[in-house]
Amino acid sequence: MRKTPSNSKDIKILNRLLVRETIRQLGPIARYEVANETGLAAPTVSVIVNELISEGVVKETGRGESSGGRRPVMLEISPTAAFILAVRIQRGETATAIFDLNGNALNEHYQTLDTSLAEDVVQAIGASFDWLVDSTGIDRRRILWCGLASPGLIDPHRGIVERSSNLRWEKVALGAMLSKRLYGTPVHVENISNAAALAEHEFGNGRGSKSLIYINLSVGIGAGIVLDNEVYGGSRGYAGEIGHMTLIPDGGPECTCGSSGCFEALCGISAVLEQAKLAMSDDILEELGLSKGRLSFDSLLYPPLSDTAEIGQVVSRVGRLVGVAVSNLVNMFNPDTVILGGELARLGASLVSMVADEMKIRVLNELNRNVRVALSSLKEDPPLKGSYAAVAKKIFDMPDWFG
């Protein structure tokens, strides 16, 4: 929350923020329109706009329509005035990208590595950052923030990964470690599912939705929850760890968290692949020219495996369990949109149909009739785009970018 101005310096800062935000939200916009929208005097607006133009933050984009006099010069934020480094970590892989202020990725870098040691991951991200800066020719000082999406229990206020069973990390001060490697660039650490939910809310199938749940169905399973247009983190920022929701209380498979019968242990990608290997006999696989050692999750999605009754049964069982979990979430949070993402969502319309069938049985009619279930529409890496979205607002809350 911005403070109430107490002196002339505070007033000048708030006026600057107001003018810049008005141009960002409504541009292209004329100076007189900025004055009308903000209630500031025209000379005050002109002084601030001239400062922003000289700093490269605002640019003139030609002339607008005349309302009786000279055609006004239009203003908008320069998308290359500043940049954001976005990072996504998952087990065995990191992704980094530099985005401009319009959310366009200038370049991306993906690398596979052993992610068990946080120090190694930080150094790898730092090397990617250096490569991206060199490849784009950007002045490093214009990269004002880094947004990072990581699996696990994340304390976003302190930038700490409290625990990630996926990465096998505990109490890792990731924000501070990475900021040091990035030459002091501030780092915001966000849960990977929350980041993906932000991306869907801002750029994907969740645009226009006030309350949505994004479910990341990958090696790990988690949910990003947006309520009243804000990410819901719970009391400490850990909300959404639905991968450890118990679906089978007795006799379920062991989970990496130490419990058993968890959603992730039943429907995570590794678990689905193990179920497929158990379902398929060596004889059937040999007839198809395959072996258990050569099976991958991708191979389950296409013929000949996708046409077998055994894989059909595995997919049906997994789809039903996803539907049970989604039904529980809809009954709890009453969202208007549920978005399915991650590798398992590549099952496509059949997964949506299975989830919808379970919801008809398990969700109260009053809650179910207005909820929409959809697949992620983002072709780009949703958590990576979401880590950009998580810090974009922080940049526009900064009164002076280069002072």
Side-chain angles (χ1 to χ4, degrees), residues 16 19 29 65 74 99 124 196 219 247 271 308 317 342 362 378:
R16 181 183 171 91
V19 168
I29 184 171
E65 295 298 319
M74 307 303 285
F99 286 88
V219 175
L247 295 185
T308 64
R317 183 165 59 248
R362 303 180 188 282
L378 293 176

Side-chain angles (χ1 to χ4, degrees), residues 332-365:
M332 275 191 276
F333 292 105
N334 187 27
D336 53 54
T337 305
V338 174
I339 297 175
L340 306 177
E343 290 94 327
L344 194 64
R346 291 169 58 195
L347 289 168
S350 62
L351 179 62
V352 174
S353 178
M354 287 184 279
V355 168
D357 287 344
E358 287 300 316
M359 288 172 62
K360 289 175 187 174
I361 301 168
R362 303 180 188 282
V363 177
L364 294 173
N365 288 335

Side-chain angles (χ1 to χ4, degrees), residues 146-344:
C146 169
L148 184 149
S150 169
L153 299 175
I154 308 297
D155 183 339
H157 305 295
R158 296 189 297 153
I160 293 175
V161 180
E162 291 285 358
R163 177 156 66 103
S164 174
S165 55
N166 216 307
L167 299 174
R168 297 182 176 88
W169 292 359
E170 284 196 26
K171 303 289 184 184
V172 174
L174 187 59
M177 291 168 62
L178 184 58
S179 179
K180 184 177 180 180
R181 175 59 183 82
L182 299 181
Y183 313 101
T185 303
V187 176
H188 173 80
V189 183
E190 188 61 80
N191 172 269
I192 195 167
S193 297
N194 286 347
L198 272 173
E200 291 289 350
H201 186 256
E202 295 291 325
F203 309 107
N205 254 337
R207 291 187 74 177
S209 170
K210 286 187 64 178
S211 299
L212 72 84
I213 298 175
Y214 172 89
I215 301 177
N216 185 35
L217 299 161
S218 185
V219 175
I221 292 178
I225 303 165
V226 175
L227 301 178
D228 291 328
N229 296 314
E230 297 287 340
V231 171
Y232 175 73
S235 63
R236 295 188 62 189
Y238 303 156
E241 286 295 317
I242 64 166
H244 305 293
M245 174 193 299
T246 301
L247 295 185
I248 299 179
D250 299 305
E254 290 186 2
C255 182
T256 55
C257 72
S259 186
S260 62
C262 295
F263 186 12
E264 186 174 300
L266 292 158
C267 299
I269 296 305
S270 299
V272 174
L273 185 57
E274 287 306 308
Q275 292 171 52
K277 290 178 179 179
L278 289 173
M280 299 295 291
S281 70
D282 290 331
D283 291 341
I284 293 176
L285 286 172
E286 188 175 345
E287 287 178 16
L288 298 174
L290 298 169
S291 66
K292 290 186 179 180
R294 290 171 55 197
L295 287 186
S296 65
F297 177 74
D298 282 354
S299 67
L300 308 182
L301 302 176
Y302 305 104
L305 282 178
S306 64
D307 293 336
T308 64
E310 292 83 357
I311 296 304
Q313 289 170 3
V314 170
V315 169
S316 294
R317 183 165 59 248
V318 168
R320 185 182 180 202
L321 288 170
V322 173
V324 170
V326 170
S327 298
N328 290 339
L329 292 170
V330 171
N331 279 326
M332 275 191 276
F333 292 105
N334 187 27
D336 53 54
T337 305
V338 174
I339 297 175
L340 306 177
E343 290 94 327
L344 194 64

Side-chain angles (χ1 to χ4, degrees), residues 64-110:
E65 295 298 319
S66 172
S67 58
R70 294 176 58 190
R71 294 170 61 200
V73 176
M74 307 303 285
L75 308 167
E76 66 180 20
I77 296 291
S78 172
T80 57
F83 301 92
I84 291 169
L85 176 69
V87 180
R88 189 259 302 147
I89 303 173
Q90 281 182 308
R91 186 195 303 170
E93 182 186 62
T94 64
T96 52
I98 291 178
F99 286 88
D100 67 20
L101 295 180
N102 282 343
N104 301 309
L106 278 65
N107 206 351
E108 301 175 354
H109 187 244
Y110 291 81

Side-chain angles (χ1 to χ4, degrees), residues 2 12-22 48 395-401:
R2 291 172 183 160
K12 183 177 180 180
I13 290 171
L14 290 176
N15 286 346
R16 181 183 171 91
L17 286 168
L18 182 58
V19 168
R20 194 180 64 197
E21 185 65 9
T22 300
I48 294 171
I395 285 183
F396 287 104
D397 280 343
M398 295 168 60
D400 192 349
W401 293 350

